[in-house]
Amino acid sequence: MKSTSRTLLAAALVLGAVAGPAVPPALAATSSPANTLPATASTPSGIPELETAIADLPTDEATAALVRLGGTGGVWRGSSGVHDLTTNRPADPAGRFRAGSVTKVFTAAVALQLAAEGTLDLDRTARSYLPELIPTSYATVTVRQLLNHTHGIPAADVPGDTVEERYADRFRMHTPEEMVRSATAEKREFTPGEKQHYLNIGYTIAGLVIERITGDTYEHQVTHRILKPLRLRDTYLPGTDPHIAGPHNHGYQRMRLDDGTTGPRDVSVWSPTDGWAAGDIISTTADLERFTQALFQGRLVRGPLLREMFTLPKVADFTTGDPAAYSAGLSMKKLGGREVWGKSGARWGYTTGIASTRDGSRTLVYSVNSTDAKGQEMNTVVRDIMVAAYGSP
């Protein structure tokens, strides 16, 4: 079964791999049924499977799930699980959550808008924009390579090898500059442009390039160019604030507790600064659905620049040797015999995904409160949502 899960994970847009050990008593004690809304157009296919995918939460793997299916084929919305493990009241379908690496889609869209305006050159080197920060050992890395993960720069050094160590250090503040210096102090993983390795660091540098070009903050550029025009009123970039503002369902991570036992710990409050332009955005399923639809309709990025988001580099993955799966901001896999493009994200306690067929006929947004959002195994709730929405690989 685990082998099957890993195969489906690779197929389902390289979604965040999550799983958990045996169910702890706190999760087994209660279960909230799925709350669903009927289709507002023709009833989409896969609805019984979607209902099944998010039913019977909380479990050992997830405490809540929020799902929105949209597009020309019909609309469906569902939620399941609990707001928190103390009150056990039903999950808030409109709750905010940490969207993790879905942030990269926003960052890529802003960068491509700047390219369309002629202020950013995708083929120009990152060092030419940030000469004081990017060393000569990475002098040939281009902005395009930052966006499609073919830059060869290793990950930044973030302290902590275990979830318990990371939790104890959860309020540490990181700056983008320190993370870039940490990464570029190391030897490159491969010659830029020759392989692909999905990492956050390229988008951290891209965020700094955006700031250098515009003379403005990354946060304001995303707000001005995307959030306000699309009226994404429940989406924001948190800066250094470790809290999720407004209504939200609590996120939990299974770890060793203070009494020596293993169980779920509330990790809703956590510094987002290690993610920044690569992974700190906070949003809702409704806002991310509106964003996804606008993106695929060409209302954010247009023409040749939009094609950058749907073009995979012709290189192999650095770790697996498989064909590259990531474009500028997105990823693609074939599900149900068709191309499905999208992006997943994981922060402690939260796993998020957006997806769509290329023509926008079927869009999907989900937020699953995973108890091991950064684990190596796949979360079965996420897997089942993707397969129900689009079909098997």
Side-chain angles (χ1 to χ4, degrees), residues 154-365:
D157 183 18
V158 178
D161 295 324
T162 67
V163 61
E164 290 82 9
E165 290 172 344
R166 295 293 295 275
Y167 178 78
D169 203 39
R170 67 193 181 282
F171 295 124
R172 178 189 288 265
M173 296 294 176
H174 303 270
T175 68
E177 292 84 0
E178 89 178 41
M179 297 188 76
V180 173
R181 292 190 183 98
S182 165
T184 57
E186 301 298 324
K187 182 181 178 181
R188 68 188 186 190
E189 294 184 325
F190 51 82
T191 301
E194 290 192 354
K195 296 182 181 180
Q196 184 176 79
H197 190 189
Y198 177 82
L199 294 171
N200 283 348
I201 191 63
Y203 277 74
T204 302
I205 299 172
L208 291 171
V209 170
I210 288 170
E211 292 195 330
R212 180 61 54 87
I213 289 171
T214 62
D216 192 9
T217 65
Y218 162 79
E219 291 83 358
H220 184 260
Q221 284 293 305
V222 172
T223 301
H224 171 69
R225 291 173 174 274
I226 299 177
L227 305 190
K228 285 187 176 180
L230 294 183
R231 299 181 181 179
L232 306 184
R233 297 188 177 94
D234 290 314
T235 302
Y236 72 100
L237 296 143
T240 60
D241 188 349
H243 300 85
I244 300 175
H248 60 280
N249 301 310
H250 289 226
Y252 294 86
Q253 168 65 38
R254 185 175 173 83
M255 66 175 79
R256 187 176 64 254
L257 305 177
D258 295 338
D259 62 3
T261 63
T262 298
R265 187 191 291 274
D266 193 324
V267 292
S268 308
V269 180
W270 198 299
S271 172
T273 56
D274 64 327
W276 195 52
D280 73 351
I281 210 163
I282 290 171
S283 190
T284 63
T285 54
D287 273 9
L288 288 183
E289 181 179 63
R290 192 176 303 120
F291 169 73
T292 302
Q293 291 171 347
L295 181 71
F296 279 71
Q297 290 166 5
R299 292 193 282 124
L300 289 175
V301 183
R302 298 176 176 84
L305 276 307
L306 179 59
R307 287 198 292 272
E308 290 283 339
M309 304 190 83
F310 298 99
T311 302
L312 300 176
K314 297 184 183 302
V315 297
D317 183 88
F318 175 62
T319 57
T320 67
D322 294 334
Y326 296 93
S327 62
L330 298 175
S331 177
M332 187 279 289
K333 284 293 178 182
K334 288 189 176 180
L335 299 173
R338 55 187 165 180
E339 288 189 358
V340 178
W341 293 82
K343 188 70 189 75
S344 65
R347 298 291 292 178
W348 301 105
Y350 301 90
T351 302
T352 302
I354 65 173
S356 180
T357 51
R358 180 65 181 86
D359 61 3
S361 61
R362 170 158 288 201
T363 62
L364 173 71
V365 177

Side-chain angles (χ1 to χ4, degrees), residues 38-116:
T40 58
S42 59
T43 302
S45 61
I47 297 311
E49 291 82 359
L50 278 172
E51 291 176 340
T52 300
I54 66 172
D56 301 324
L57 299 182
T59 66
D60 62 322
E61 288 192 84
T63 58
L66 315 177
V67 179
R68 293 176 77 99
L69 188 72
T72 57
V75 174
W76 181 85
R77 302 167 189 173
S79 66
S80 181
V82 295
H83 168 270
D84 64 89
L85 293 176
T86 301
T87 68
N88 292 324
R89 72 176 191 262
D92 181 353
R96 287 173 170 168
F97 48 82
R98 301 188 190 279
S101 287
V102 172
T103 306
K104 291 182 177 72
V105 192
F106 288 77
T107 304
V110 170
L112 294 173
Q113 285 182 1
L114 291 170

Side-chain angles (χ1 to χ4, degrees), residues 26-44:
L27 297 189
T30 182
S31 178
S32 175
N35 301 308
T36 62
L37 294 176
T40 58
S42 59
T43 302

Side-chain angles (χ1 to χ4, degrees), residues 120-129 134 138-153 192-193 202 205-206 209:
L120 183 150
D121 185 345
L122 297 179
D123 293 316
R124 188 173 166 183
T125 67
R127 178 174 165 79
S128 68
Y129 291 109
I134 307 299
Y138 292 99
T140 64
V141 172
T142 67
V143 175
R144 179 179 279 104
Q145 290 166 351
L146 296 176
L147 297 178
N148 66 19
H149 304 282
T150 60
H151 47 74
I153 304 172
I205 299 172
V209 170

